[in-house]
Amino acid sequence: MTAEIRQTVNRSVLIVGASRGLGEAIVEEYVARGAHAVGTVRGETATPLHEFAARAGDSVEIEQVDIDHPDQIDSLAARLAGRQFDLLFVVAGISLAPMEDIAVQISTQDFSRMMVTNALGVMRAVEALHGLVSPTGTIAVMSSGQGSISDNTQAGFEVYRATKSALNQLMRSYAVRHAEDARAILLMAPGWVKTTLGGPQARLEISDSIPPLVDTVDAQRGIPGLQYLDRNGATIPW
Ligand SMILES: NC(=O)c1ccc[n+]([C@@H]2O[C@H](COP(=O)([O-])OP(=O)(O)OC[C@H]3O[C@@H](n4cnc5c(N)ncnc54)[C@H](OP(=O)(O)O)[C@@H]3O)[C@@H](O)[C@H]2O)c1
């Protein structure tokens, strides 16, 4: 959390994949900046988002969706019909293989699960929910610097990288199909952050990543078209 809290231009935000980790921290950061947040979880069990919501009162609503299941995405869209958000941010993602494994070491099932969640599921959520975003709002998804093909000089996380490259490509197609859209469309890279997914060896704390990332998302409001940005607003090469 920043020492000096700014007010956000995104007053109403929908964060998909907010039970814990970066998504939960994004909810907290937006609420601290004066926004109303709807955050989604997958299951029935209590999560860090539930703990925050209990403290935050009316500023937070909890919704439920597993983006691996199209019927659940459709149900969420139906429940939220008629609402308008300044920002849709799909943060959900998984990694099922250790850093050092090469791609062919993963099971076919885990490869498919990662692609379904990180690429197809994210796009299904974007396609089903983008109508809820105001005409001058922002549609963001959590990519990763690992999704950059030209920056891949070290290998590692091979399947995870591939899922984020696939997500980038799919979002690019989405942006081409919506070339006349006035909304900002963002692929965000938070840096390597200590979460369950990032692991304890990651370089950044959540508090190093999320405040600047939210600053960057807010700064893109009203700038139409697709950008692939790191948390500090620098363009990442494809
Ligand atoms: N941490 C990093 O270093 C890093 C770096 C670059 C990009 N990212 C990206 O940032 C995003 C968040 O990662 P994180 O580090 O915060 O990981 P995390 O702590 O493991 O949290 C992952 C979040 O995604 C949710 N999720 C997973 N599968 C889902 C599904 N099928 N439907 C709905 N929600 C689902 C999880 O919900 P449950 O609690 O129900 O499992 C959880 O809220 C991911 O897209 C990740 O790839 C992370």
Side-chain angles (χ1 to χ4, degrees):
M1 207 66 41
T2 41
E4 190 187 326
I5 303 287
R6 289 162 212 203
Q7 291 295 296
T8 179
V9 292
N10 291 312
R11 308 294 300 173
S12 169
V13 303
L14 171 56
I15 313 296
V16 176
S19 61
R20 57 192 167 89
L22 301 182
E24 193 276 335
I26 291 168
V27 168
E28 283 205 31
E29 187 68 25
Y30 269 111
V31 168
R33 295 179 187 214
H36 179 274
V38 177
T40 76
V41 302
R42 276 198 280 191
E44 304 288 342
T45 51
T47 70
L49 182 64
H50 289 89
E51 287 167 30
F52 177 63
R55 300 195 303 275
D58 292 345
S59 302
V60 178
E61 281 172 70
I62 299 181
E63 266 291 354
Q64 221 171 343
V65 69
D66 183 329
I67 63 169
D68 294 354
H69 297 281
D71 54 322
Q72 291 193 24
I73 297 175
D74 291 345
S75 298
L76 175 66
R79 288 195 299 277
L80 295 175
R83 303 271 298 264
Q84 194 169 72
F85 296 91
D86 296 314
L87 169 68
L88 165 66
F89 199 159
V90 185
V91 181
I94 56 172
S95 179
L96 300 175
M99 179 174 87
E100 56 282 0
D101 278 14
I102 63 169
V104 295
Q105 288 175 299
I106 197 170
S107 69
T108 305
Q109 187 187 23
D110 282 355
F111 184 94
S112 302
R113 279 180 62 201
M114 286 177 70
M115 277 291 178
V116 166
T117 302
N118 292 359
L120 183 60
V122 173
M123 292 312 301
R124 282 179 169 149
V126 167
E127 297 281 4
L129 301 171
H130 71 158
L132 304 173
V133 179
S134 84
T136 54
T138 299
I139 297 163
V141 303
M142 195 66 97
S143 180
S144 166
Q146 308 256 2
S148 168
I149 290 172
S150 45
D151 278 356
N152 183 3
T153 54
Q154 295 185 316
F157 295 114
E158 293 193 8
V159 174
Y160 179 75
R161 282 181 189 277
T163 66
K164 294 296 186 179
S165 299
L167 174 62
N168 291 356
Q169 182 72 283
L170 291 166
M171 277 301 278
R172 189 140 170 166
S173 295
Y174 173 91
V176 170
R177 282 189 281 111
H178 294 86
E180 305 304 318
D181 199 330
R183 297 178 293 191
I185 305 172
L186 304 175
L187 289 156
M188 294 304 303
W192 190 15
V193 190
K194 290 186 180 73
T195 61
T196 307
L197 186 151
Q201 73 278 37
R203 297 202 185 89
L204 300 173
E205 301 292 337
I206 288 177
S207 57
D208 299 321
S209 170
I210 293 310
L213 182 138
V214 167
D215 285 345
T216 294
V217 170
D218 280 5
Q220 309 316 311
R221 190 183 165 97
I223 302 174
L226 177 67
Q227 299 185 76
Y228 180 23
L229 300 174
D230 75 11
R231 67 187 179 284
N232 297 314
T235 296
I236 301 176
W238 296 107

